[in-house]
Structures are given as structure tokens and as C-alpha cells.
Amino acid sequence: MNPAAMPDPTPIVRLSTAYWESQALLTANRLRLFDFLADGARSADEVAAGLQLDPRSTALLMRACVGLGFLCESGQRFENTPVAATFLVSRSPAFMGNVIRYSDQLYAAWGRLEESVRSGQPAVPAQTYLGDDPARTRAFVQAMHDRALGIARALVPMLDLSGRRTMLDVGGGPGTYSVLLTERFPGLHAEVIELPGVAAVARELVAAAGAGKRVQLRDGDYHSADFGSGKDVVLMSGMFHRETAQACRTLIERAAACLNPGGLLVVSDVFTDEGGCQPAFAALFGLNMMLTAADGGVHADADVMQWMAESGFHRLRAAPLPPPMPHRVVIGEKA
Ligand SMILES: C[S@@+](CC[C@H](N)C(=O)[O-])C[C@H]1O[C@@H](n2cnc3c(N)ncnc32)[C@H](O)[C@@H]1O
């Protein structure tokens, strides 16, 4: 082939080693390297001694973190860059370490992608982190909470719930959105339907936020739980990616049935464009969910809007959250 006509192999070279970068970040976070540097610069030997690591290997990891932009080095001493100090130090209010710990826990599952593609089975049974394993369940709920606190900064201002009184938060996880929305809109009360193991941890978080009077957690399976009636808002956040298209349609129909006329259905998730391939992150997110939930995958927001229209919702709109958040929110009103 004429070399000038050859396609550029750069993406292949880049992606075949991209996991090096992920693992360097995840390992540094797991070792609490950024916390150790939170009070100022230290040498690699000091870090190795403090964290009980091998000095030569620690220096290699820290130099890789310099290359990735999380540390800077001057005179053999290392310190956190502003991005690490803001997001990777546990005492920072914007700490993302628990969220990326969840990615860390899924690293081994991604190594079993071929197996899942062959068998159609998730590499990690969802029950593991939704109740069966208490430590993983707690880590999952904490990660969802930390993530929701970040996403809520964009999502909450997009929702006008003034005058609304009752909200059903289906698969509400840590209840973070219910806590923040009922705080922002006084008079709004929320009921969160969650699996018992997750709900137990969520109750602690809701109580710690002082929101126990306005946010109630109900143990239940959202496929069979009674959604009640007379709701003003139904929130379905981050759960369609665990469900088949048919299950999503049924959940939307049940949301319509429990809402008052004029009530809002808010569906927030990672969605693809029509066709399911773009953005690439969303298509990859479908694989992540395939690896971690029996019916896990990803849907297109255009499909969700169509299902909502078929269930009697109107004034439908879809909006992306600002980058780097990959989420989109679809909102419709019961006609
Ligand atoms: C990705 S989390 C999203 C949590 C929350 N809505 C948020 O956006 O932060 C999905 C939630 O759905 C819950 N879930 C999954 N299957 C469920 C079921 N059958 N019944 C009730 N909750 C379920 C999980 O426990 C988990 O908390």
C-alpha cells in the first residue's frame, strides 16, 4: 500500500495501552498517595516510607503521575497539582476518590469482557454490590452519593419543581437527589424505592444530611413495588441502563399511572444518540453495564422520548449535562 494512503494507526497504539494510565491513577488513589502529599512536597523516599511501599517503584509511579498531570516534581520533591489537590485529596469537598474507587473495583471485570461477550452473562453479578456483599454495597452507595453530589450541581438547577409536593424516586440509590431537591424546593417530600441492602446505607446518608423528615426510604423492587398515586414528580435516575427496552417502557407506563395530570417524569442517565454508537463514552458505558448487570446496557434518549410520548407524556425535552458529565436528562409532563 502507498504509505501516504495508509490510515493513521495512532488510535490503535494509544488505546492498546490506555489502561496503563487508568491503573496508574487508580493505584495512586487506592494507595492514598494524593492524601499523603496534601500538606506539601515530599520526596519519593519519604512517600515510600510513610506508605510502606518500595522506594524505587514508588518513584516510578510518582513520575508517571507527573506525566499524567497529577503531580509536579521539583528538586526530587513531589507535590499535588491543582487538579489532584481539588479532586483526589479526601478532605477536599470535591473529592472524587470514592467514585473512582468504584471504577477500580470494576477493573478486573473489564478483563473478562471477552467472557461476557461470549456468554451474555455479566462478569460481576449485580447482587454482589446491591446487597449480598456488605462492604461492596457500602462502597457502591458511597460512590453513587459522591457522584450524585457532583452531577446535582448541574442537574438540580435544570429542574423547576416549585409548587410540587410529592416525588417518587425510583431506584434512588443513596437518595442524594431526593435530599437536594427537597432542600431546594420547600414543601416537596420524596419517597425513595430501593433494594433493602442499598436502602439501609441510604437511610444513614439521608439521616446524616438531616433530611429524614422529608425523604423516606422504602425497601422494594421497582419492578413490583406499588408506585401509589397522586405523585407530582417521578425521578428515574441512573436505572434505565440496567433494564431492557421493554422494562423501561413498563416503568414509564407505571410512572404515568401514578402521576397527577401535569406531573413530571424526569429520566436522567447516560444515553447514546440514535443508532447507539455515539458518543463513544456512552457506547462503552453500555459495555460497562453489560459487565455488571444481567440486562445492563445503554439506551438512546430519542427512544426514551418516544416511549414517553407513547405513554401519554408531552412537552418532552432532552438536555445534556455540561461536560465532563456524560449524562443527559429527559423530561416530560403527563398530559
Ligand atoms: C446507578 S444507581 C442510581 C442511583 C440513583 N438513582 C442515582 O442516580 O444516583 C441504580 C440504582 O437502582 C437500584 N436498583 C437496581 N435494581 C433495582 C430494583 N429491581 N428495585 C429497586 N432498586 C433497584 C440499585 O440498587 C441502584 O441504587
Side-chain angles (χ1 to χ4, degrees):
M1 190 191 259
N2 171 5
M6 285 235 297
D8 179 5
T10 302
I12 295 173
V13 175
R14 169 94 191 83
L15 289 175
S16 64
T17 57
Y19 65 93
W20 297 1
E21 299 172 22
S22 302
Q23 196 51 254
L25 169 63
L26 297 175
T27 300
N29 178 59
R30 200 182 323 123
L31 293 172
R32 301 241 173 228
L33 177 62
F34 305 106
D35 268 359
F36 198 77
L37 296 172
D39 293 322
R42 309 238 196 174
S43 70
D45 282 348
E46 285 168 344
V47 172
L51 296 178
Q52 297 178 308
L53 307 172
D54 173 71
R56 192 182 83 88
S57 307
T58 302
L60 285 166
L61 175 62
M62 291 174 73
R63 295 222 157 84
C65 288
V66 173
L68 291 172
F70 298 121
L71 299 180
C72 46
E73 183 183 7
S74 169
Q76 309 249 340
R77 294 180 75 73
F78 297 81
E79 61 186 331
N80 290 328
T81 56
V83 72
T86 306
F87 298 112
L88 297 172
V89 170
S90 60
R91 68 180 182 219
S92 163
F95 181 53
M96 291 175 68
N98 291 322
V99 180
I100 68 173
R101 276 289 283 147
Y102 182 62
S103 300
D104 194 355
Q105 287 181 337
L106 293 185
Y107 188 84
W110 272 86
R112 294 170 57 196
L113 181 61
E114 177 186 344
E115 215 178 291
S116 279
V117 171
R118 288 188 186 281
S119 69
Q121 300 302 315
V124 181
Q127 302 87 300
T128 316
Y129 60 92
L130 297 184
D132 282 3
D133 179 335
R136 282 196 77 162
T137 302
R138 182 168 288 279
F140 176 66
V141 179
Q142 186 66 50
M144 282 191 296
H145 176 60
D146 289 6
R147 189 191 55 178
L149 286 174
I151 295 173
R153 280 198 277 271
L155 181 63
V156 170
M158 289 167 83
L159 303 176
D160 181 5
L161 305 185
S162 31
R164 314 266 176 184
R165 300 264 157 228
T166 52
M167 180 169 93
L168 187 67
D169 186 355
V170 182
T176 316
Y177 295 124
S178 283
V179 169
L180 296 173
L181 287 166
T182 55
E183 181 180 64
R184 168 138 177 162
F185 298 101
L188 180 68
H189 282 74
E191 185 181 34
V192 179
I193 298 180
E194 251 305 338
L195 298 172
V198 173
V201 184
R203 275 189 195 95
E204 293 174 20
L205 292 168
V206 169
K213 287 222 169 74
R214 40 181 225 270
V215 178
Q216 266 79 52
L217 275 130
R218 171 154 55 108
D219 289 359
D221 178 337
Y222 56 52
H223 292 302
S224 51
D226 183 5
F227 282 7
S229 60
K231 306 290 180 209
D232 294 321
V233 184
V234 173
L235 175 62
M236 293 183 169
S237 168
M239 32 145 334
F240 276 26
H241 61 239
R242 319 183 63 82
E243 304 297 341
T244 63
Q246 185 50 50
C248 294
R249 290 174 112 124
T250 304
L251 285 160
I252 290 171
E253 282 164 15
R254 292 175 57 217
C258 80
L259 278 167
N260 289 321
L264 291 182
L265 173 58
V266 178
V267 182
S268 170
D269 213 322
V270 176
F271 293 118
T272 64
D273 300 338
E274 273 179 272
C277 306
Q278 298 293 339
F281 177 88
L284 290 161
F285 180 76
L287 289 181
N288 191 63
M289 291 318 304
M290 177 195 86
L291 286 165
T292 54
D295 290 324
V298 65
H299 300 284
D301 53 357
D303 289 338
V304 174
M305 289 175 89
Q306 189 188 326
W307 303 332
M308 285 171 66
E310 287 166 5
S311 292
F313 288 93
H314 70 165
R315 296 195 180 138
L316 291 159
R317 55 193 192 281
L321 269 55
M325 284 173 275
H327 302 74
R328 298 178 187 174
V329 60
V330 180
I331 303 174
E333 195 178 301
K334 180 172 167 177

